[in-house]
Amino acid sequence: MRQSRSWRIGIAGAGVLTVAAAIASAAGAARVAGVLGALLLGLGVTVAVDIRSRAADLAHMSRLAAKRRTEDGEAAIARDADASLKHVEQMQQMERRLLVAVETERLRAADRHREALEGQAETAGHNRASFDALISASKHLRADIELRTKSLRGDVLDDVTKMTRDEVRQVEALFQVLTRISPRALMPPTGRWAIDARSLTHLLDIVAEEKPRNVVELGSGTSTVWLGYATEGLGTRITSFDHDEEFASLTRAEVARHGLADTIDVRTAPLQPCDQADGAPWYDTAVMGDLEAIDLLIVDGPPGGTNHPFARRPAVPVLASRLSPNAVVLLDDSDRSGEAEAVRQWCDEYGFERHDVGVSRLAVLRRPTTAH
Ligand SMILES: C[S@@+](CC[C@H](N)C(=O)[O-])C[C@H]1O[C@@H](n2cnc3c(N)ncnc32)[C@H](O)[C@@H]1O
């Protein structure tokens, strides 16, 4: 800016000098014109030198500028290259990180997948083991059920066979009784709560053999009626006791229906505390005061088993003094443990012996002195 101003001042000065020289020449002032010309020349030289110098400076500056430009360009290129390089490195680093991250994640996913598969396999293994155990258990259960069914079928078959055989034996026994006795009316049933046909036939055998004059029966019912028929014409007196007035009445009615009331006396003897059989209650003896010389004692009550296992045991201890010397004692249901125990005690303590073992459910007890 400053250079261009000095140039404008120089050009203006040269103009002024030229005009002044021309005026001086025209005015005939050669010397002034000469001086002005010399000044103009000096100015021109100065300008030329300055131009040259300036040109040299410019060239120098231009070279410098070019050089700087080149250096700057290279540096910039280098910087750019560095930056690019760094950028590329950063990109590569990022790429590497990305790859590492992707690979890591892929490996983790593979691990998770493998673990899941292993878990599934393990679960499947457990399920399989449970399934196998279940199948095995069900096979055992089936085998067990088959075995039990077979055994049950066998037991049921045994029971049915036994029952059928027993029923046939009962019918056989009844046929035998009916050849000796002709009932005048429908007889009360045998079996269940009443004496069974086989024991009844056994009883009637003994009655026929003993021809007892005094019969005492503990527990009235079907047997009472059969006894009445079996002793008809023998002059036998039958006294039957029942703890229950309702059943005593039923028996009385049956006795009357069959026309046996003259020889059979059915009495109600409620159960009372008794000290003869581990606290088992027994018949009220107040209604037994007139009993004596009993030839046949039939013990079929009080109801045993469920009420008290030794319910019938007091019979002999209580009535022993009323028995005739040749008395026969019969105990029904002798296959039950309480009754078997009573038989043992009566034999041990009252001198009885057991006869006809296995003939029926009756235990037949006689004193040894009895001639049989
Ligand atoms: C073991 S049962 C035997 C009765 C009788 N000695 C007989 O063989 O028919 C004993 C008791 O059964 C009861 N009893 C009597 N008649 C009955 C009937 N029709 N139904 C159910 N129980 C009866 C009486 O209380 C009797 O003392």
Side-chain angles (χ1 to χ4, degrees):
M1 204 63 169
R2 208 179 297 142
Q3 282 173 355
S4 60
R5 230 164 86 191
S6 63
W7 265 88
R8 257 184 255 131
I9 293 167
I11 288 165
V16 171
L17 282 175
T18 307
V19 172
I23 294 168
S25 177
R31 286 188 105 169
V32 172
V35 170
L36 288 169
L39 283 171
L40 195 61
L41 186 65
L43 185 61
V45 169
T46 304
V47 168
V49 168
D50 184 50
I51 286 170
R52 191 177 174 82
S53 162
R54 281 173 189 269
D57 282 351
L58 270 172
H60 182 64
M61 281 170 66
S62 170
R63 275 198 305 277
L64 279 175
K67 189 181 174 191
R68 195 174 300 127
R69 267 201 308 278
T70 307
E71 284 175 359
D72 286 353
E74 284 175 357
I77 287 167
R79 274 199 306 280
D80 285 351
D82 278 352
S84 298
L85 211 59
K86 274 183 189 156
H87 189 62
V88 168
E89 279 174 358
Q90 280 172 353
M91 295 289 284
Q92 282 176 340
Q93 263 181 5
M94 279 172 66
E95 189 186 21
R96 272 198 300 278
R97 277 195 212 118
L98 193 66
L99 281 173
V100 167
V102 167
E103 184 62 13
T104 306
E105 197 46 47
R106 197 182 65 76
L107 288 173
R108 275 194 198 136
D111 283 350
R112 280 199 296 273
H113 185 60
R114 184 173 41 73
E115 282 166 9
L117 282 178
E118 282 172 2
Q120 275 176 6
E122 198 176 339
T123 308
H126 284 147
N127 287 347
R128 177 79 209 178
S130 306
F131 182 71
D132 287 349
L134 208 64
I135 292 289
S136 162
S138 81
K139 275 183 188 160
H140 280 110
L141 195 67
R142 189 196 165 97
D144 191 44
I145 287 171
E146 276 174 2
L147 205 70
R148 279 166 194 265
T149 309
K150 208 170 160 187
S151 140
L152 200 66
R153 211 179 287 140
D155 289 351
V156 170
L157 209 66
D158 286 354
D159 285 352
V160 169
T161 308
K162 211 171 140 203
M163 276 167 61
T164 310
R165 206 173 287 154
D166 193 51
E167 286 303 312
V168 171
R169 291 174 61 174
Q170 298 297 331
V171 173
E172 277 175 3
L174 268 182
F175 272 127
Q176 292 173 53
V177 171
L178 290 168
T179 57
R180 300 176 220 168
I181 293 166
S182 299
R184 292 181 283 273
L186 179 66
M187 291 298 281
T190 53
R192 294 204 306 118
W193 55 269
I195 192 167
D196 67 48
R198 206 171 163 75
S199 300
L200 176 67
T201 312
H202 194 190
L203 166 65
L204 299 187
D205 281 350
I206 291 163
V207 168
E209 189 182 348
E210 297 293 327
K211 298 183 178 54
R213 290 188 61 78
N214 279 319
V215 176
V216 168
E217 181 186 50
L218 303 174
S220 72
T222 301
S223 58
T224 316
V225 181
W226 282 104
L227 271 172
Y229 277 111
T231 54
E232 270 188 322
L234 294 179
T236 305
R237 177 113 209 118
I238 300 168
T239 312
S240 185
F241 294 91
D242 208 296
H243 71 286
D244 190 309
E245 172 52 29
E246 193 183 331
F247 290 128
S249 296
L250 280 173
T251 306
R252 272 185 215 113
E254 286 291 332
V255 166
R257 207 159 64 84
H258 286 269
L260 299 166
D262 286 349
T263 54
I264 301 175
D265 178 13
V266 181
R267 298 182 188 175
T268 303
L271 298 182
Q272 290 199 335
C274 174
D275 56 4
Q276 290 294 334
D278 290 338
W282 203 68
Y283 299 107
D284 182 1
T285 52
V287 291
M288 297 180 177
D290 60 334
L291 300 180
E292 54 185 21
I294 303 167
D295 301 309
L296 180 62
L297 174 63
I298 304 161
V299 184
D300 199 10
T306 49
N307 287 352
H308 197 289
F310 302 132
R312 296 175 180 179
R313 209 168 71 182
V316 169
V318 171
L319 296 175
S321 60
R322 320 278 184 96
L323 297 175
S324 66
N326 295 334
V328 177
V329 176
L330 305 178
L331 174 63
D332 196 15
D333 305 311
S334 64
D335 50 345
R336 295 196 303 220
S337 61
E339 276 69 10
E341 175 58 33
V343 168
R344 263 194 298 278
Q345 189 207 12
W346 297 346
C347 289
D348 291 350
E349 297 179 19
Y350 296 89
F352 285 98
E353 285 178 351
R354 188 165 179 182
H355 293 252
D356 299 350
V357 176
V359 172
S360 73
R361 296 181 76 200
L362 287 180
V364 181
L365 305 180
R366 301 174 195 273
R367 290 221 166 89
T369 50
T370 310
H372 280 285

